[in-house]
Amino acid sequence: MTSGHQTLIVLDFGSQVTQLIARRIRELGVYAEILPFDTPIAALRARDPAALILSGGPSSIYAPDAPRLDPEVLALGIPVLGICYGLYVITAALGGRVVAAKEREYGAANVLVEASEGPLTRFSAGEQVPVWMSHGDKVEALAPGFRAVGRSPHCEFAAIVDPKRQLWGVQFHPEVTHTERGDEVFAAFLDAAGFRRDWSMAAFVDEAVAAVRARVGERGTVLCGLSGGVDSTVAAMLVERAIGARLRCIFVDNGLLRKNEREEVEAMFSGQLRCPLIVVRAEERFFAALRGVTDPEVKRKRIGAAFIEVFEAEAQRLGGADFLVQGTLYPDVIESVSVRGASVTIKTHHNVGGLPQRMRMGVVEPLRELFKDEVRRLGVELGIDEAMVWRHPFPGPGLGVRVLGEVTAERCAVLREADAILLEEIRAAGLYRRLWQVFGVLLPVQTVGVMGDARTYENALAIRAVTSTDAMTADWARIPYDVLATMSNRIINEVRGINRVCYDISSKPPATIEWE
């Protein structure tokens, strides 16, 4: 799909936010993809990258099993930027020295610009630049050919450059939003590398359509599980543009949906698809699969397996299908299976880690390399209604991972009513577009309360609301107290089975957005 585009490759050394680097680069109009740090040099050359970025990572460079950089990578003759651990591997590979820092830096810091060169080209000498640090090691001696252009109170070599070889390094993390002008570091690097800035969602549409046609072939048939969320909707519209009526869209009511979800989706896609939307009622099947299950990973796998079983049965009824569309995104992949670099698995995604090996359909994942904000821009490019494009994300396992503990129809019904109230009040307060997600989590605990002068012993509900741009990092939303009070009062008064409401003030990291 990247034919004709200059490519920047990010070599992943295991950072949990490696994907953010690629996202920032793409926002600046350059196609970026991620490969493991140990990608063979021949494979790297075959990609013909115009520049490389080396990510951060959790290891200490002097540890015996620390991931190292093949020195040949630095001999490719293209610009390279190392971030944090990436700075260390450049230094170590070229004869410098990295040691454990006596004064570690985690969090906000200021970098003093000593020279407007390399990573700090767009900053003025003497300027204090707010950045985000996260390191326990530091460069003690530069490799030959390098010079420092920025320092922090505890790091003499916070930004370095070798202008002759076009090698740059920064100790801080320009990819995270906490580094206020991180995009200017990346922009200077892209300019120095001579990128044309020709990556856009308009370009992606044509390339993705061509890729789907090549994957499916001239006669292949495709099923799409259309949930009504932005991911599946955009994926479906993209595939339909590629193959037309050979796409059949199926909506599965698994009993784990939000209130009135099935009716809203049916209305939304009425007349929008060349083939009518097929609705399958499968609530009993999913609840049977979840009976007695409390482990979140088992839940995800069973829900994923049940989805595939439903699709296979429906495909057979329709006369067979060759492929299944999935709205898998970059964050789904990086949080599910460590296929790129040395990052640690946090949780499986039902579209990635939960597929049974016996699945008899091929998979089409047209959004697999996109971030959520890119999917939304793609949706606009495809002409999808803006209200649909900006719908809050809803997990594939649905309420199955928001009802903690055993998932039953009764517990889902309680959460469904509370969740509807949350969305009503968020929209009424004009906050919906300002939030990435807001939802309720039904906890597997009961608490004592007093209602109507009588003792109650009922469920507790946690409200989760976050702000984010890509779901890789998120901050808890500062919802006004009066809005929280209204939501709490309505839920306790209107939803039988809940007598206590709490508000989650955890950010990601260290927490994830979903509780399971």
Side-chain angles (χ1 to χ4, degrees):
M1 294 196 307
T2 61
S3 175
H5 292 288
Q6 293 170 300
T7 299
L8 181 145
I9 288 180
V10 181
L11 291 182
D12 182 13
F13 284 88
S15 171
Q16 290 291 342
V17 293
T18 294
Q19 299 293 332
L20 287 181
I21 302 172
R23 179 177 172 273
R24 301 285 183 242
I25 298 302
R26 291 186 189 183
E27 285 178 341
L28 293 169
V30 171
Y31 178 73
E33 62 178 273
I34 295 171
L35 295 176
F37 73 93
D38 55 357
T39 298
I41 191 70
L44 202 54
R45 284 197 182 99
R47 301 288 184 121
D48 191 28
L52 299 173
I53 293 180
L54 314 182
S55 82
S59 304
S60 292
I61 191 67
Y62 47 80
D65 58 348
R68 297 277 179 162
L69 183 69
D70 183 343
E72 287 192 58
V73 171
L74 300 178
L76 290 172
I78 59 176
V80 180
L81 167 63
I83 297 173
C84 196
Y85 190 84
L87 164 67
Y88 303 153
V89 295
I90 291 175
T91 301
L94 297 177
R97 187 166 62 255
V98 180
V99 298
K102 293 181 180 178
E103 298 287 345
R104 298 184 298 175
E105 289 182 301
Y106 294 102
N110 286 319
V111 167
L112 172 65
V113 180
E114 297 179 295
S116 298
E117 296 181 62
L120 303 182
T121 296
R122 297 197 173 193
F123 301 87
S124 302
E127 187 177 354
Q128 293 278 355
V129 181
V131 302
W132 190 259
M133 295 281 195
S134 182
H135 65 99
D137 298 340
K138 72 171 187 175
V139 175
E140 184 177 66
L142 292 177
F146 284 89
R147 60 173 175 263
V149 294
R151 65 165 62 232
S152 72
H154 301 298
C155 183
E156 183 181 357
F157 305 118
I160 65 173
V161 62
D162 178 339
K164 185 175 181 180
R165 289 180 286 187
Q166 288 190 286
L167 304 178
W168 297 9
V170 291
Q171 181 65 80
F172 57 91
H173 288 269
E175 69 271 32
V176 301
T177 56
H178 305 82
T179 296
E180 295 177 7
R181 295 168 63 189
D183 282 351
E184 295 184 42
V185 174
F186 289 132
F189 181 66
L190 298 178
D191 288 346
F195 280 98
R196 292 189 297 268
R197 312 287 187 98
D198 60 355
W199 171 252
S200 67
M201 285 302 99
F204 180 85
V205 170
D206 294 338
E207 294 163 11
V209 165
V212 170
R213 286 175 180 159
R215 168 83 169 133
V216 174
E218 293 297 322
R219 298 188 178 186
T221 54
V222 181
L223 289 182
C224 176
L226 194 56
S227 70
V230 62
D231 300 340
S232 67
T233 299
V234 172
M237 294 306 184
L238 191 62
V239 172
E240 188 179 57
R241 180 171 293 195
I243 65 168
R246 286 185 288 142
L247 170 71
R248 304 295 297 273
C249 291
I250 299 173
F251 178 84
V252 178
D253 187 345
N254 58 6
L256 307 174
L257 305 174
R258 283 176 155 166
K259 188 174 182 179
N260 299 324
E261 188 85 2
R262 185 184 73 251
E263 294 83 359
E264 290 175 4
V265 171
E266 287 183 286
M268 188 184 309
F269 290 100
S270 176
Q272 296 293 311
L273 300 168
R274 299 186 205 185
C275 289
L277 179 66
I278 299 165
V279 177
V280 180
R281 300 290 298 270
E283 300 99 310
E284 292 183 7
R285 183 176 201 155
F286 281 83
F287 285 123
L290 292 169
R291 189 170 296 122
V293 176
T294 59
D295 182 273
E297 286 296 282
V298 177
K299 286 183 188 178
R300 287 175 178 269
K301 285 181 168 59
R302 290 200 180 184
I303 292 169
F307 264 115
I308 298 304
E309 289 169 1
V310 169
F311 280 122
E312 287 183 326
E314 197 61 28
Q316 200 169 39
R317 188 187 70 80
L318 294 170
D322 303 305
F323 295 91
L324 172 68
V325 177
Q326 292 191 297
T328 309
L329 306 187
Y330 240 1
D332 300 331
V333 175
I334 199 63
E335 288 192 352
S336 303
V337 191
S338 295
V339 296
R340 300 170 187 261
S343 54
V344 177
T345 298
I346 303 298
K347 61 186 178 182
T348 56
H349 182 271
H350 83 288
N351 281 345
V352 181
L355 298 181
Q357 293 181 355
R358 59 162 185 76
M359 191 181 73
R360 293 189 290 272
M361 288 180 278
V363 176
V364 176
E365 296 176 306
L367 312 180
R368 185 180 179 88
E369 301 301 324
L370 297 185
F371 296 100
K372 187 69 131 190
D373 57 317
E374 289 181 307
V375 173
R376 286 183 166 135
R377 291 201 299 273
L378 178 59
V380 172
E381 192 67 36
L382 291 169
I384 298 172
D385 184 78
E386 189 170 313
M388 161 59 64
V389 169
W390 286 99
R391 289 189 79 187
H392 284 185
F394 188 63
L399 301 185
V401 291
R402 292 180 178 175
V403 170
L404 274 56
E406 184 178 8
V407 181
T408 64
E410 294 73 23
R411 298 191 73 209
C412 284
V414 171
L415 178 56
R416 192 174 290 118
E417 294 301 320
D419 186 73
I421 291 171
L422 295 180
L423 292 176
E424 284 177 20
E425 294 301 327
I426 287 297
R427 288 192 173 99
L431 298 174
Y432 189 83
R433 282 284 295 271
R434 289 166 53 186
L435 299 176
W436 177 262
Q437 276 177 277
V438 60
F439 56 89
V441 180
L442 192 66
L443 305 182
V445 296
Q446 291 181 298
T447 68
V448 174
V450 178
M451 302 175 81
D453 293 327
R455 178 185 185 276
T456 63
Y457 192 57
E458 295 180 336
N459 296 286
L461 179 90
I463 298 174
R464 180 65 159 153
V466 298
T467 57
S468 182
T469 54
D470 48 36
M472 291 301 295
T473 61
D475 195 13
W476 63 276
R478 274 64 170 175
I479 293 178
Y481 288 160
D482 59 335
V483 178
L484 288 173
T486 300
M487 292 191 296
S488 176
N489 288 337
R490 282 196 60 194
I491 289 169
I492 291 173
N493 287 326
E494 298 176 28
V495 181
R496 186 175 296 276
I498 295 176
N499 68 353
R500 189 179 301 272
V501 174
C502 309
Y503 190 56
D504 182 349
I505 59 170
S506 309
S507 295
K508 175 187 179 181
T512 54
I513 296 177
E514 297 286 344
W515 278 43
E516 289 190 341

